[in-house]
Amino acid sequence: RRVRGDADGVRLRAAVGFSAADYWLGETGGFWLWAPMLQALSDVGYSPKELHMASFDWRLSPQELESRDAYFSATIARIEALVAINKQRAILISHSMGAPILQYLIHFAEHHRGKGWVDKHIEAVSGVGPVHLGAPKALAAVTAGQVGEFMPVLSVLGDALGQLADQGDIASLVRTFGCWGLLLPKGGPRVWQDADGGGSMVSVTRDHVHAHSPARDEALDQPHFCNKSHSGSLLANWLVGESTPSLRYALTSQQTVSNNSRLLTKKHIESQIQKGVLPFLSDLAPEYVEWLNKNFQIDQDKVQKGAAEGEKTWTNPLAVPLPNAPTTKYVCFYGVGLDSERGFGLKPAGVRRSCTSAPYVIDSDSEDLSNGSYSRRDGVVRVDGDGTVPLASLGFMCRRGWRSTTLNPSGSPTLTLEYGHNVTVFPQECDDTSEETAWQTAGRLSADVLNVLRKPDKGDHVDLLGAEALINDVLQLACGRGDTLKDRVASDIDAISEQIARDIGLD
């Protein structure tokens, strides 16, 4: 059965402490995540008295994290203790999915601790590779089981162990991850229609494939089929597909059939994505959409005047203004210059091995093309970004969204720092002003930290965590010299941001 969190008889919790996210799969067998940053902070004098790693269980939505683990209440209490002990405001820094978690945290704090809490306790809210507006790659995962960089282990399983997990199994599994809703593209078609030149997030490249035997299709649609070992996939025995029988038949037949009196044609599917992510997914996974609607505000692209600000809006920065914190700075650190998934072309899946097989697949046979602002290869449309997240999601909020009075009524300052590749900047110790010690201590990233699986001078979504230029900038914040940092922008984010702002009617 589908579960979000623990299955019956199982109790699993997120790791705690710095070891929760210093390395992936350990120091010797995997690669580093936050280890270089922790090493650099340690070298300039930081210790557990000044640092806290707030790891979380990504199987749960933010609301579920609080109700089961009191995650946000506990993190706020820890921040208050650190601020009281050190007599300085805290700097919050996140990576990727952590950015919307931090947004939820500051709104939760303002709601439960009162207005002014953020300004009193938080010096800066910063994100490395922040997924502020989501990522189309996440939509490909819940649609067609394409997980790529988000879940490399599952991707390998899907490619190499087809009998263990086909794409439909992976899509069904990903839908059980509660925090995946944080990654789905936010703001609907007016944000994602074409501001960056990428066009629609989803297109359907063909309507028909070879016909199947209706008797076989009906057999696949029977509930008992998924409980049989001959279903073609081990995971299919417990991941029962959410797609309706009529939808699966429509996408694997030369006949067009109706689902609730709607024709599931190429035109219908593409019209659904023009309404938003949730209307598009409603045909494929109605139960998942129902759950998403209870926990997230995904397609909303503006603050609803006079409407109550519910918890589910707190992870959509377009739907809720920042807290009243005029001296709290919002910082976006991200890489640029790498092709990043912006959309994808789908086709009917063809022969289905099991009732959980994905009805859609990426059409890797579609024609490759490039027009300068975007390219399409193997059925995937790519634009500028950090290799995983497109530029609009990384930079719009700091460059334009949070510079509007609607989304930032107290005028909190924002800062944008972009990083290309092969850029090295040498930092100094917090308490040292001489040029002689540059990088001798603050940047001493030893060979066991910067291992061969990650490189310290790259700007992609994960590698950036160990980039010397990024660490230098974070140390400036950590050492009280954040005012020396100025906007550093080399991409087209400003033009993209202005177009989005016009499309959604932002002041």
Side-chain angles (χ1 to χ4, degrees):
R1 68 184 181 88
R2 282 185 174 79
V3 293
R4 291 182 175 88
D6 296 336
D8 293 339
V10 175
R11 184 171 181 174
L12 182 65
R13 296 295 181 267
V16 296
F18 301 125
S19 62
D22 55 352
Y23 296 91
W24 184 70
L25 295 182
E27 181 175 352
T28 57
F31 54 79
W32 46 259
L33 297 170
W34 285 102
M37 188 75 71
L38 291 171
Q39 177 69 53
L41 288 167
S42 173
D43 285 337
V44 297
Y46 273 78
S47 73
K49 184 173 75 74
E50 296 88 20
L51 291 171
H52 173 65
M53 178 76 76
S55 54
F56 61 92
D57 188 342
W58 43 263
R59 299 174 301 160
L60 305 179
S61 71
Q63 294 92 319
E64 293 165 339
L65 280 171
E66 178 61 22
S67 63
R68 192 196 72 177
D69 297 342
Y71 173 80
F72 295 99
S73 295
T75 303
I76 287 170
R78 180 63 175 167
I79 291 171
E80 291 173 335
L82 289 171
V83 169
I85 291 170
N86 295 287
K87 296 180 172 47
Q88 291 182 327
R89 294 193 299 173
I91 295 170
L92 308 181
I93 184 167
S94 63
H95 176 251
S96 192
M97 183 194 292
I101 288 289
L102 280 192
Q103 289 301 304
Y104 193 96
L105 174 74
I106 61 176
H107 289 295
F108 184 95
E110 184 178 53
H111 182 77
H112 291 278
R113 291 291 204 270
K115 295 184 183 299
W117 186 94
V118 174
D119 206 44
K120 178 180 178 181
H121 292 86
I122 307 301
E123 176 73 21
V125 179
S126 57
V128 179
V131 193
H132 286 310
L133 299 183
K137 187 184 291 288
L139 183 59
V142 297
T143 301
Q146 301 287 334
V147 290
E149 292 91 340
F150 277 135
M151 296 292 291
V153 174
L154 287 179
S155 182
V156 171
L157 288 176
D159 293 339
L161 301 174
Q163 291 302 307
L164 176 62
D166 70 14
Q167 301 307 110
D169 299 330
I170 294 174
S172 294
L173 179 61
V174 170
R175 291 178 207 143
T176 71
F177 299 160
C179 273
W180 204 263
L182 301 173
L183 300 175
L184 292 175
K186 300 183 182 73
R190 293 203 296 177
V191 170
W192 292 98
Q193 57 187 358
D194 205 19
D196 56 5
S200 175
M201 282 187 291
V202 179
S203 62
V204 180
T205 57
R206 63 189 81 178
D207 251 333
H208 306 305
V209 294
H210 294 296
H212 298 295
S213 162
R216 179 182 181 278
D217 284 333
E218 290 173 3
L220 287 176
D221 291 334
Q222 298 302 314
H224 64 78
F225 182 83
C226 286
N227 296 321
K228 293 186 177 182
S229 60
H230 68 266
S231 63
S233 168
L234 299 177
L235 289 183
N237 294 329
W238 60 279
L239 289 173
V240 181
E242 285 182 323
S243 54
T244 62
S246 55
L247 173 64
R248 291 200 299 274
Y249 184 78
L251 292 174
T252 55
S253 170
Q254 288 184 347
Q255 305 300 317
T256 298
V257 300
S258 86
N259 176 32
N260 297 326
S261 301
R262 291 181 299 176
L263 294 179
L264 297 174
T265 61
K266 176 181 186 292
K267 181 179 179 180
H268 168 77
I269 295 169
E270 292 185 342
S271 71
Q272 289 292 83
I273 194 61
Q274 290 302 317
K275 298 175 185 176
V277 167
L278 296 188
F280 167 71
L281 288 175
S282 63
D283 286 321
L284 176 66
E287 295 174 16
Y288 182 52
V289 169
E290 181 180 358
W291 180 85
L292 286 171
N293 266 320
K294 292 178 180 178
N295 288 272
F296 302 98
Q297 183 56 266
I298 291 175
D299 289 322
Q300 187 169 323
D301 63 11
K302 62 179 59 180
V303 177
Q304 298 297 319
K305 300 294 185 182
E309 294 174 5
E311 293 182 7
K312 69 179 187 177
T313 68
W314 292 348
T315 56
N316 182 345
L318 300 174
V320 59
L322 289 175
N324 181 27
T327 66
T328 299
K329 181 177 291 186
Y330 291 83
V331 187
C332 296
F333 305 100
Y334 57 87
V336 295
L338 289 172
D339 286 347
S340 306
E341 187 167 324
R342 167 63 170 75
F344 46 92
L346 295 175
K347 66 178 180 180
V351 176
R352 294 175 291 120
R353 296 181 307 165
S354 76
C355 61
T356 62
S357 294
Y360 304 110
V361 294
I362 304 296
D363 188 0
S364 59
D365 297 326
S366 61
E367 181 183 1
D368 292 349
L369 58 87
S370 176
N371 75 349
S373 63
Y374 79 97
S375 64
R376 186 177 70 198
R377 298 190 307 275
D378 301 323
V380 176
V381 175
R382 296 174 172 87
V383 296
D384 190 13
D386 68 359
T388 297
V389 183
L391 194 54
S393 183
L394 295 165
F396 172 75
M397 294 312 301
C398 280
R399 291 305 291 170
R400 184 63 174 84
W402 287 328
R403 294 184 176 183
S404 75
T405 56
T406 299
L407 296 177
N408 186 1
S410 66
S412 300
T414 65
L415 176 66
T416 302
L417 293 166
E418 294 186 343
Y419 303 86
H421 295 286
N422 304 309
V423 177
T424 301
V425 179
F426 298 104
Q428 300 176 358
E429 293 182 86
C430 283
D431 58 354
D432 190 89
T433 58
S434 71
E435 297 181 0
E436 296 179 353
T437 60
W439 197 239
Q440 289 179 355
T441 55
R444 190 173 61 241
L445 303 184
S446 57
D448 63 322
V449 175
L450 295 179
N451 61 46
V452 295
L453 294 179
R454 285 284 183 252
K455 297 178 181 179
D457 58 354
K458 300 299 182 182
D460 88 350
H461 191 63
V462 176
D463 290 346
L464 183 59
L465 284 171
E468 295 168 359
L470 170 73
I471 291 175
N472 174 64
D473 291 337
V474 171
L475 289 178
Q476 302 306 308
L477 280 177
C479 296
R481 295 200 287 262
D483 290 343
T484 66
L485 297 174
K486 306 300 179 184
D487 287 324
R488 185 171 63 240
V489 175
S491 71
D492 292 331
I493 185 59
D494 287 337
I496 292 170
S497 296
E498 286 302 325
Q499 183 62 55
I500 293 174
R502 286 193 294 270
D503 289 341
I504 66 176
L506 188 65
D507 63 87

